[in-house]
Amino acid sequence: MSFNVYNSLSKTKEPFRPLEDGVVRMYNCGPTVYNRQHIGNFRSFLFADTLRRWLEYSGYEVRQVMNITDVGHLLDDQDEGEDKIEAQAKRTQKSPKEIADEYAQMFLEDIAQFGVLEPLARPRATEYIPEMVEMVEGLIAKGNAYQVGGDVYFDVASFPPYGRLSGNRVEDLVAGARIDVNEDKRHPADFALWKSDPRHLMKWETVFGPDGFPGWHIECSAMARKLLGDRIDVHTGGEDNVFPHHECEIAQTECFTGAPFATYWMHAKFLQVDGGKMSKSLGNVYTIDDVKEKGYDPRQLRYALIRGHYRTPLNFTWESMKGAAAELDNLDDLLALLQRAAEGADGDPGAGAELVQEAQAGFEAAMNDDLNVSQALAALLPLRRQALENAFGSEAAKDALAFLERAMAVFGIAREQDAGSDAEIDALVAARTQARADKDWAESDRIRDELAALGIEVKDTAGGATWRRK
Ligand code: AMP
Ligand code: ZN
């Protein structure tokens, strides 16, 4: 069965076909590191992680890149206003680099708590300035961009498909509410590829002048191209990235390379809190720590953030958090029930086998339908009913267990994340076997204790050592 994804570009669900058989090139817009990321940001990042996990479950090799924006993201998302990182640096009397390092580190710690898989690369914009300059120069040479003083603007009139992603029409994007009149621009909708400002703290000397810095959009175009190639399969972000960010990325990359950029554009709808936008004045801009303080762990929060469909707005309340934690408890109970049933010896070992097949088929069909996580979770419910009635035979329970563990791994909520991966445990067990062969009993006892601390029980059998999670 094929994977169908909703493509924001065509506004329809399309069968997923990567450019290269078996390989997916995916770029995710990452955080701007000027403050602590909130749980809304993590909804978008966890969507990207779930997508990756689903592609891997489906057998693809995923080459994933998620950037870190550490320069050029201006306060109003357009070409005006202060750089977000510099504004924070000034407020706190630190350097922009200190701010970026501090919040990038915090982001990495948060993402690790959520059990997010490491991408191929987490490029930082400031480390790809030559690649950006190369693209900007190329766009000038091709007549898609023009320089005014030390600034370079993209000429939207030179790219007729501009507006296709967001539905904006260039003729409507006149000087007005969102776009300040800028005398230097040929058209009010033209956007900055490169800006110059001697007061900017982060600045580079380039062919465009001495005090320049990149526009936010060119950063992602350049990093994606450098790390994944001219064309990629999937590009993701939150819904606010559609315009101007992704619209501008498409224009820049496609004019520069002469080829389509990403085949599929996927956007997560915003997380709302208490039915509205998160706002500082309402005191509901929650971070992972705020949720932990209320007694929930990151695994429960992850579950709360992914359990709805990524294209449905999600409303976070403490009541919904409680509900999510209870649902996850049910899944954990199901695991325990299945474990017990798998070890049982009564009755027909195959009892309930068809339910496992149905649950798996339902789960896969739902995930293949544009990552419908809520429906995929619903497909697991019949397993719980059967297990509660104690109606699984041992063989069917083993199959159910194996499937459920894989499904939970797709959601990033597998228990083993707390207790080391299978490969790590295999390595520890092998080291213990070696220590025993060497008659190094102190070492073999030490490893056994380490495994016990991870909740792993090792059994020595005639065929060698085996292990299981307690
Ligand atoms: P930023 O740090 O502002 O660049 O945002 C990082 C990512 O989080 C972007 O992909 C945004 O689209 C996304 N994002 C921001 N706010 C929310 C929200 N409330 N819900 C979901 N995604 C969000
Ligand atoms: Zn981006």
Side-chain angles (χ1 to χ4, degrees):
M1 199 196 315
S2 80
F3 180 29
N4 289 297
V5 297
Y6 181 86
N7 189 348
S8 304
L9 194 56
S10 65
K11 282 127 197 106
T12 53
K13 275 190 207 167
E14 298 174 14
F16 184 76
R17 303 223 194 298
L19 295 161
E20 184 184 333
D21 260 359
V23 179
V24 177
R25 290 171 176 81
M26 170 160 86
Y27 186 92
N28 315 121
C29 280
T32 306
V33 282
Y34 71 105
N35 64 3
R36 180 92 183 255
Q37 293 283 300
H38 54 61
I39 59 175
N41 302 128
F42 286 112
R43 177 178 205 206
S44 289
F45 303 140
L46 291 172
F47 149 66
D49 188 57
T50 310
L51 173 58
R52 165 172 168 185
R53 287 166 182 268
W54 178 244
L55 290 167
E56 287 182 344
Y57 177 104
S58 307
Y60 291 106
E61 176 202 331
V62 183
R63 300 195 191 144
Q64 181 193 15
V65 171
M66 181 185 277
N67 71 293
I68 289 180
T69 301
D70 59 356
V71 66
H73 193 167
L74 305 186
L75 280 168
D76 70 354
D77 257 22
Q78 304 278 349
D79 295 338
E80 306 299 327
E82 232 183 321
D83 184 299
K84 291 186 181 192
I85 290 169
E86 294 205 359
Q88 179 68 2
K90 285 180 196 153
R91 257 197 303 277
T92 54
Q93 297 181 331
K94 291 183 180 169
S95 71
K97 176 145 184 8
E98 281 172 315
I99 293 296
D101 285 349
E102 179 181 336
Y103 290 107
Q105 183 57 32
M106 239 178 239
F107 168 71
L108 295 177
E109 285 167 14
D110 286 353
I111 219 111
Q113 292 194 64
F114 278 120
V116 166
L117 299 174
E118 261 314 288
L120 195 65
R122 290 196 185 280
R124 281 193 183 209
T126 48
E127 290 166 4
Y128 290 80
I129 299 294
E131 286 79 3
M132 298 170 200
V133 171
E134 181 198 345
M135 282 187 85
V136 177
E137 282 192 278
L139 288 167
I140 296 175
K142 288 176 177 218
N144 297 107
Y146 56 93
Q147 186 170 351
V148 184
D151 296 343
V152 182
Y153 295 103
F154 186 91
D155 177 4
V156 295
S158 75
F159 183 63
Y162 188 80
R164 192 177 147 212
L165 176 73
S166 60
N168 285 316
R169 295 191 319 164
V170 172
E171 51 272 34
D172 296 337
L173 292 171
V174 286
R178 289 216 65 203
I179 299 173
D180 292 336
V181 184
N182 178 332
E183 307 269 289
D184 294 338
K185 293 184 184 181
R186 289 184 194 161
H187 187 284
D190 291 352
F191 58 90
L193 297 168
W194 195 262
K195 288 192 66 111
S196 289
D197 181 352
R199 289 163 307 168
H200 209 79
L201 301 172
M202 294 177 278
K203 50 195 177 203
W204 288 265
E205 182 165 354
T206 67
V207 288
F208 314 121
D211 305 311
F213 62 96
W216 174 37
H217 320 309
I218 195 71
E219 298 175 0
C220 286
S221 280
M223 289 184 279
R225 176 168 174 264
K226 172 75 180 179
L227 293 161
L228 293 170
D230 284 0
R231 298 185 62 181
I232 65 173
D233 299 297
V234 192
H235 197 312
T236 74
E239 60 177 324
D240 62 328
N241 287 154
V242 171
F243 189 85
H245 190 47
H246 290 167
E247 192 73 70
C248 298
E249 278 191 49
I250 292 173
Q252 298 157 165
T253 299
E254 298 196 354
C255 288
F256 182 81
T257 66
F261 181 19
T263 315
Y264 307 96
W265 290 82
M266 297 175 78
H267 296 97
K269 282 271 184 310
F270 261 26
L271 178 82
Q272 299 199 322
V273 173
D274 305 327
K277 208 172 145 86
M278 270 181 272
S279 88
K280 280 205 178 118
S281 57
L282 294 173
N284 63 3
V285 184
Y286 299 134
T287 67
I288 192 170
D289 282 348
D290 298 322
V291 179
K292 282 163 79 176
E293 265 168 35
K294 294 267 185 183
Y296 298 103
D297 64 34
R299 179 172 174 264
Q300 290 169 317
L301 176 56
R302 178 182 177 118
Y303 184 81
L305 293 173
I306 64 142
R307 70 175 168 154
H309 192 282
Y310 75 93
R311 281 192 300 114
T312 307
L314 182 65
N315 184 25
F316 182 92
T317 60
W318 290 114
E319 205 46 42
S320 73
M321 183 64 235
K322 195 167 140 195
E327 258 181 54
L328 184 55
D329 275 352
N330 286 345
L331 280 176
D332 288 340
D333 285 350
L334 175 58
L335 275 178
L337 287 168
L338 289 172
Q339 229 135 22
R340 218 171 309 145
E343 284 158 18
D346 302 341
D348 170 12
E354 70 291 351
L355 275 182
V356 184
Q357 305 236 322
E358 277 167 32
Q360 181 162 350
F363 163 82
E364 290 176 358
M367 292 303 284
N368 274 328
D369 182 14
D370 192 31
L371 236 48
N372 193 335
V373 173
S374 50
Q375 216 170 303
L377 283 163
L380 305 177
L381 291 176
L383 297 182
R384 180 169 157 79
R385 262 176 253 129
Q386 180 88 350
L388 284 172
E389 285 166 15
N390 225 343
F392 267 119
S394 58
E395 285 307 311
K398 271 183 211 151
D399 290 347
L401 199 55
F403 158 61
L404 187 60
E405 279 171 352
R406 286 186 74 205
M408 286 174 81
V410 168
F411 301 134
I413 51 167
R415 271 277 183 216
E416 67 192 26
Q417 282 181 337
D418 310 331
S421 68
D422 283 4
E424 277 162 357
I425 291 160
D426 284 343
L428 278 172
V429 172
R432 177 177 163 275
T433 305
Q434 187 58 48
R436 284 165 64 89
D438 298 344
K439 300 208 183 335
D440 184 349
W441 309 117
E443 176 66 358
S444 88
D445 286 351
R446 191 194 63 74
I447 299 173
R448 175 182 288 249
D449 291 348
E450 191 178 330
L451 285 161
L454 290 171
I456 303 298
E457 191 176 69
V458 186
K459 264 204 196 116
D460 294 301
T461 69
T466 61
W467 60 268
R468 64 179 195 104
R469 294 177 197 280
K470 278 189 275 199

